[in-house]
Amino acid sequence: MPDPAQLKRLSVVVSSLTLLMATLTAAALMTRVTSAAAEPLAVPDLRQEEPNTRVLNTAVVVPEFPALAAGIKEEAEEDSRKSRRETGTEQVTETTAQPNRAHASDTSGQDTGAAREPDGTAPPHQAGAVVEQGPMVTLTPPEPLEPPPFKTLEIMLDWYPGPQHAALLIAQHKGMLERRGLQVTLTTPADPTLPTRLLAAGRIDLAVSRQPLLHLQVDRGLPLVRVGTLVDLPLAGLLLRDDGIMESPAQLAGKRIGYSMEESRELLLPALLKPHGIAIEELELVDVNFSAVIQMVDKRLDGVMTPQRLALPRRLGDEGVAVRLLNLEEHGIPRHEGLILVANRNRLGAQKESLRRLLEALAEATAWSLEYPEAAWALLAANEPTLDTPANRDTWPAMLLRLSARPAALDQGGYTRFEAFLHEQGLLETLTPVEKLAVDLGAP
């Protein structure tokens, strides 16, 4: 009969061995679980669908850990087999385990028997399942803004292009007008009397004119208004042959005098003669248009009233004709603006913004010309070859000093005084207020 003490010791040894084996088994299982390396997280592929287009894919991916899942499943199956062997219920055949079954279904697109929702979709918690893709946002660069269309302006000069038109010409050739969204066309009249008449008829946008002519035509009912100044000082004067005979307007009676400006015949010559008791009818007046030089050279004229008192004496001198100049403001005629921009009063409201930009460009052109007079002349000569003559080169320094540095500014007092003078002389029928003659577009 066995010794009870030995049986007790044997029972203790068996219990110890059983505890030891259970501990080792648990340790091995934990080692296998913790040693399994996780696969990298799946990152959605942000592919560029089109050039300059970025697509944000909002698909949410639930990562899976196949090695860890397979190890846990194998351990569970091994424990199940051991339990069946111990209880005598082990099956003769076993089904081969298929680890990572859910992952295989996802990658191959075939159903491997993984658990499904009633509608056939994979449950969100299943490893490797992809949640339904959310809305996609496409980011594209904004379309470039198209520049506003250019405002077109047609400006008719009063004469052939010359130094007196420098602000307009330089603003055009240096791109100062284009930068302000203006497309300006400068045209030359076939007749010096045409520009303001075409303007009054709405055929052009602006006309280059002279202050005395503006007073005359407004008095006659034309819808004209001064909007800017190109030359601040008078440019008109009376050129007489320097033959030692005529020295003052008092000697003009019976002389043959040429003119090309309407205001010369209607305003300036009568105002010049009246203090000397001479009527305009006592002169033989000749409309010379653009042919003053030719007629003076041919001795068909004793003198000429000209709007180009700076350049014409040199041109006549080059042709061998000596002349003397009578400045009008030295013979009782008030000082006035020599060259102005005139608009149609009936169309002024729709043009104000364009005209303001034009006047800003003219101010910039004049400032640049005063700062760089030689470069300004070189620009004019290069772009206007017909302007590059000895007479114009001689005129440039004097003309430059007469260009208006503030073309928008209005000398209200000057316009009021000149209007009053012409009315007092009986040369105008009515006294027109200054606001109907001129506007200051630079005023707030």
Side-chain angles (χ1 to χ4, degrees):
M1 184 171 180
D3 184 1
Q6 291 180 348
L7 291 174
K8 186 177 182 179
R9 286 194 297 272
L10 181 60
S11 176
V12 171
V13 171
V14 171
S15 298
S16 299
L17 290 175
T18 301
L19 181 61
L20 178 61
M21 289 180 65
T23 302
L24 292 175
T25 300
L29 178 60
M30 293 299 296
T31 302
R32 286 195 297 271
V33 171
T34 56
S35 63
E39 288 187 1
L41 297 177
V43 179
D45 184 13
L46 301 180
R47 296 187 179 180
Q48 191 171 11
E49 295 182 354
E50 297 178 359
N52 300 323
T53 302
R54 293 175 292 167
V55 179
L56 299 183
N57 192 339
T58 59
V60 179
V61 178
V62 179
E64 67 171 338
F65 302 91
L68 178 59
I72 295 174
K73 187 172 183 179
E74 288 178 357
E75 289 295 336
E77 291 179 353
E78 181 65 26
D79 292 341
S80 177
R81 285 195 294 269
K82 288 182 180 179
S83 176
R84 288 196 297 271
R85 282 196 296 267
E86 292 175 356
T87 60
T89 59
E90 183 177 2
Q91 301 292 328
V92 178
T93 59
E94 296 181 356
T95 303
T96 304
Q98 297 183 8
N100 200 20
R101 190 170 185 177
H103 181 69
S105 174
D106 291 339
T107 56
S108 65
Q110 298 177 356
D111 187 6
T112 58
R116 297 284 178 176
E117 291 291 329
D119 59 357
T121 59
H125 62 275
Q126 181 176 322
V130 178
V131 177
E132 183 179 355
Q133 181 171 314
M136 300 177 67
V137 180
T138 302
L139 301 180
T140 57
E143 295 184 2
L145 296 177
E146 294 186 4
F150 280 92
K151 295 289 186 180
T152 59
L153 291 174
E154 181 180 357
I155 304 176
M156 183 169 284
L157 304 180
D158 62 318
W159 206 262
Y160 294 121
Q164 68 271 23
H165 305 124
L168 279 169
L169 297 172
I170 288 174
Q172 185 177 57
H173 296 314
K174 282 190 68 65
M176 298 172 180
L177 298 170
E178 185 177 348
R179 288 199 300 273
R180 290 171 171 83
L182 298 176
Q183 186 174 3
V184 175
T185 302
L186 301 177
T187 57
T188 301
D191 186 314
T193 65
L194 282 179
T196 52
R197 299 186 188 281
L198 292 177
L199 177 63
R203 301 283 297 277
I204 56 177
D205 297 303
L206 292 171
V208 176
S209 188
R210 300 161 297 277
Q211 183 181 342
L213 180 59
L214 173 68
H215 289 266
L216 177 64
Q217 292 182 325
V218 170
D219 184 65
R220 292 178 176 176
L222 295 184
L224 304 177
V225 62
R226 172 266 180 206
V227 294
T229 302
L230 298 176
V231 178
D232 285 325
L233 299 176
L235 293 178
L238 178 62
L239 290 177
L240 300 173
R241 287 186 178 276
D242 193 11
D243 52 12
I245 298 176
M246 290 188 298
E247 295 184 357
S248 76
Q251 299 170 297
L252 289 177
K255 300 300 181 182
R256 186 177 173 88
I257 303 298
Y259 72 94
S260 59
M261 306 175 298
E262 185 179 2
E263 69 270 25
S264 295
R265 183 187 68 241
E266 302 294 334
L267 298 180
L268 300 180
L269 278 172
L272 189 64
L273 296 172
K274 188 174 182 179
H276 302 283
I278 302 175
I280 189 67
E281 291 78 15
E282 296 182 55
L283 274 62
E284 184 181 353
L285 298 177
V286 180
D287 186 355
V288 298
N289 202 309
F290 291 111
S291 64
V293 174
I294 296 175
Q295 297 208 37
M296 286 289 286
V297 170
D298 292 343
K299 297 183 179 181
R300 286 180 277 171
L301 297 174
D302 297 308
V304 61
M305 181 70 78
T306 177
Q308 294 184 311
R309 77 184 194 189
L310 295 182
L312 192 56
R314 168 63 191 268
R315 290 178 61 191
L316 291 171
D318 291 343
E319 298 293 337
V321 180
V323 295
R324 59 178 303 167
L325 172 66
L326 298 182
N327 292 328
L328 302 183
E329 60 272 24
E330 296 175 0
H331 292 272
I333 297 178
R335 189 173 63 250
H336 53 273
E337 293 179 337
L339 212 60
I340 60 176
L341 280 174
V342 179
N344 187 315
R345 189 188 301 112
N346 297 332
R347 302 171 61 189
L348 185 60
Q351 292 180 318
K352 279 188 177 180
E353 182 56 34
S354 298
L355 295 181
R356 287 192 181 101
R357 284 185 266 167
L358 171 65
L359 295 171
E360 289 175 2
L362 297 181
E364 181 184 357
T366 300
W368 182 80
S369 300
L370 291 170
E371 188 74 21
Y372 307 101
E374 294 181 0
W377 176 255
L379 180 68
L380 291 173
N383 290 278
E384 303 288 340
T386 59
L387 184 149
D388 190 14
T389 65
N392 285 337
R393 285 196 295 270
D394 222 25
T395 300
W396 176 239
M399 182 63 73
L400 187 60
L401 297 177
R402 287 164 169 79
L403 297 181
S404 177
R406 299 174 59 207
L410 172 61
D411 180 7
Q412 294 192 16
Y415 274 79
T416 301
R417 288 189 294 272
F418 199 76
E419 176 75 6
F421 168 79
L422 295 176
H423 187 259
E424 290 170 1
Q425 296 293 313
L427 301 174
L428 300 178
E429 293 183 2
T430 59
L431 188 62
T432 303
V434 67
E435 57 267 20
K436 289 189 176 181
L437 291 167
V439 296
D440 185 353
L441 294 178

